Amino acid sequence: MKSREKFGGRAAVILALAGSAIGLGNIWRFPYLVGMNGGAAFIIIYIGFVLLLSIPIFLAESIIGRSSGANCRVAIGQLVPGRAGRWFGLLMVFTPLWIVSYYSVVGGWSLDFLVKACTLEFTTTSPELVKGTFGTFISSTWTPLLYHFLFLAMTVGIVAFGVKSGIERFSKVSIPILFVLILVIAGYSISLPGAKEGIYYLTHPDFSKVTVQTFVNALGQSFYSISLGMGIIITYSSYVSKNENLMVSAVGTSVSDLLFAYIAGFAILPAVFAAGIAPGTGPGLVFDTLPYIFSSMAGQMPVASAIAAILFFAAILVAALTSSVSLIEVGVAYLTESKGFSRTKACIVLFFICGLAGALCSLSFGPLSGIKLFGGGLFDFADSFASNVLLIMGALISVILVGWVMPRKKLFAEFTNRGTLARNVRLFPVFHFLVRYVAPLGILALVIASVLL
Ligand code: PFF
């Protein structure tokens, strides 16, 4: 068998995993969820879930990936032989491909909005006219489709270069740039007149707004944001050398993701408050509300607003790309290793499959808007089926396999690098308890709560 590529060291591993984690979930989803769920109180609950559940699940997936050194389908098959293992493995390959199909539609929106920002469309048009931009754009047929395919082409273009020359090199450049971009935008946002209220909202918890739904949203978001339950961490960890400390990469990735999301909150919500808009507007917050804000601010500060708009949509685009790359890589690893495809052929095949599936989601805001599944359009169905069903099933399978199926000795060896990491040896009983009891019960509680709500 051809020897597999490996990431080149700890920084490369964390940057690639952070690239997967930091994405639309942080810049698009997190701020609007914070806005809808009472600000800082949501953030505190979110941090609790990351520490208690997401990091142990992350570690469980890393352990499955690195101990197998193979793609998801093979990795899971090693733990569960026979039919069940085959189906679980295929589910983990299927989930990210399902997600990338509609994720690249949103990636396409950010590409289009970057073009609009660069051509000064937001800052030279009146706020009233800018208001309708997003609605008109997504309900049209060809432009969103074109940008969806363009975004997907960029994604497979990076993946085609391979793990080291493609994914690793891209993440090493783009993640530091992303942090700088989001910090600059946050600086702009908090300097706006009237931004204080937004800062207060992000730093002072109001627990009276917390409901069961807040907990469900916070847990769901932590899975979504850290890329849990979808084979990505299994696949990326299979490229991690046996000498890396998996706990360091799990904690490093989760903390970077959390930090980025929090800064993104500062990049967006103070500007929203400054413009006098209610923070709980939901998914349209970034694509609908922000262009309106850029346009409203352009009167007093035209240059700063134009630059902020460009930087903002560039940040969303790059964040979306580093994540979509990881989503496609799961399928590419499977097709190349288990089906004998060349990397290029796998990329081309997945470009067409995901491109066509995503096209249906894109058209669901326009010509296909009449098609409804479970009360929503095709895009909404794709998103909620992924977040509420596929991710949860994937995460549950991973923790059960690691907590209950993998022999304790093997788990210990993998967690502690064969007993050589003293701190991991000490923390092993805590990790084992979290992954065996707390994580599966936490996931089940999430499922039950969301069914009952
Ligand atoms: N974790 C990435 C993000 O937050 O955008 C990638 C991702 C994860 C996308 C889960 C979609 C998804 F359902």
Side-chain angles (χ1 to χ4, degrees):
M1 197 178 125
K2 238 174 62 184
S3 82
R4 296 180 94 237
E5 282 192 89
K6 289 262 181 283
F7 284 125
R10 176 173 299 172
V13 172
I14 295 184
L15 286 171
L17 285 166
S20 165
I22 295 172
L24 294 169
N26 304 61
I27 312 188
W28 168 55
R29 217 167 181 262
F30 183 79
Y32 84 68
L33 281 173
V34 172
M36 287 169 72
N37 290 281
F42 175 82
I43 298 175
I44 292 175
I45 297 169
Y46 179 77
I47 294 175
F49 280 143
V50 169
L51 297 178
L52 210 65
L53 291 177
S54 304
I55 292 182
I57 301 173
F58 190 117
L59 268 164
E61 294 192 16
S62 301
I63 287 171
I64 297 177
R66 192 179 65 173
S67 65
S68 72
N71 69 74
C72 252
R73 151 77 190 92
V74 174
I76 304 249
Q78 285 176 0
L79 287 167
V80 191
R83 271 226 177 136
R86 187 181 146 77
W87 283 109
F88 289 163
L90 286 176
L91 172 78
M92 295 285 218
V93 175
F94 171 76
T95 301
L97 297 178
W98 172 284
I99 293 173
V100 80
S101 305
Y102 74 87
Y103 198 78
S104 64
V105 173
V106 186
W109 299 346
S110 56
L111 188 54
D112 176 84
F113 272 49
L114 175 61
V115 173
K116 285 187 168 66
C118 288
T119 53
L120 305 183
E121 198 176 313
F122 301 132
T123 40
T124 54
T125 314
S126 77
E128 291 320 308
L129 282 177
V130 163
K131 242 185 188 165
T133 308
F134 183 56
T136 316
F137 167 68
I138 57 165
S139 56
S140 59
T141 306
W142 295 109
T143 329
L145 265 189
L146 172 75
Y147 280 105
H148 152 64
F149 278 106
L150 260 176
F151 178 86
L152 205 51
M154 290 161 86
T155 305
V156 295
I158 297 165
V159 174
F161 277 100
V163 174
K164 250 178 130 29
S165 323
I167 299 174
E168 178 177 323
R169 215 165 43 176
F170 181 61
S171 318
K172 269 187 169 163
V173 177
S174 53
I175 292 298
I177 293 181
L178 263 179
F179 267 96
V180 174
L181 282 180
I182 204 76
L183 279 168
V184 172
I185 305 162
Y188 163 80
S189 175
I190 58 180
S191 71
L192 293 172
K196 264 206 190 105
E197 222 186 308
I199 301 171
Y200 186 88
Y201 189 72
L202 282 162
T203 48
H204 291 72
D206 174 3
F207 286 102
S208 69
K209 297 257 165 53
V210 171
T211 61
V212 178
Q213 186 65 48
T214 318
F215 283 87
V216 173
N217 287 346
L219 187 56
Q221 171 64 12
S222 77
F223 284 13
Y224 187 103
S225 191
I226 304 180
S227 304
L228 296 178
M230 60 180 103
I232 292 178
I233 297 163
I234 298 181
T235 307
Y236 271 23
S237 301
S238 73
Y239 305 131
V240 171
S241 111
K242 290 279 178 208
N243 301 323
E244 285 305 328
N245 184 344
L246 292 180
M247 197 166 65
V248 172
S249 50
V251 174
T253 308
S254 309
V255 171
S256 328
D257 185 71
L258 191 64
L259 203 65
F260 193 89
Y262 198 43
I263 306 173
F266 281 94
I268 293 164
L269 289 168
V272 169
F273 276 90
I277 297 170
T281 48
L285 190 66
V286 160
F287 289 101
D288 234 351
T289 314
L290 282 188
Y292 173 77
I293 295 173
F294 292 131
S295 165
S296 316
M297 303 294 173
Q300 303 121 41
M301 18 183 176
V303 178
S305 301
I307 295 176
I310 294 172
L311 295 184
F312 185 75
F313 288 108
I316 300 202
L317 175 66
V318 176
L321 263 177
T322 53
S323 297
S324 60
V325 158
S326 69
L327 290 160
I328 281 275
E329 174 62 23
V330 180
V332 170
Y334 169 68
L335 288 179
T336 50
E337 291 171 13
S338 293
K339 295 286 165 205
F341 282 41
S342 70
R343 202 162 241 280
T344 315
K345 185 174 162 193
C347 286
I348 295 174
V349 168
L350 293 180
F351 171 79
F352 282 106
I353 296 177
C354 300
L356 291 176
L360 295 176
C361 296
S362 178
L363 293 172
S364 73
F365 295 103
L368 301 185
S369 60
I371 302 179
K372 299 282 177 220
L373 276 176
F374 299 97
L378 290 176
F379 181 98
D380 298 332
F381 170 72
D383 186 31
S384 41
F385 185 62
S387 330
N388 303 336
V389 181
L390 294 175
L391 295 192
I392 311 284
M393 276 187 349
L396 193 58
I397 292 172
S398 301
V399 287
I400 290 179
L401 290 184
V402 169
W404 296 88
V405 176
M406 188 179 271
R408 195 184 154 104
K409 246 185 163 170
K410 183 171 174 183
L411 183 58
F412 178 82
E414 206 53 55
F415 183 77
T416 61
N417 288 5
R418 298 157 303 283
T420 56
L421 303 167
R423 190 169 356 119
N424 296 29
V425 170
R426 274 199 312 279
L427 286 173
F428 180 74
V430 180
F431 165 66
H432 196 231
F433 179 76
L434 288 174
V435 87
R436 201 170 155 90
Y437 301 104
V438 180
L441 289 175
I443 298 171
L444 281 177
L446 173 78
V447 174
I448 293 169
S450 39
V451 170
L452 293 181
L453 280 173

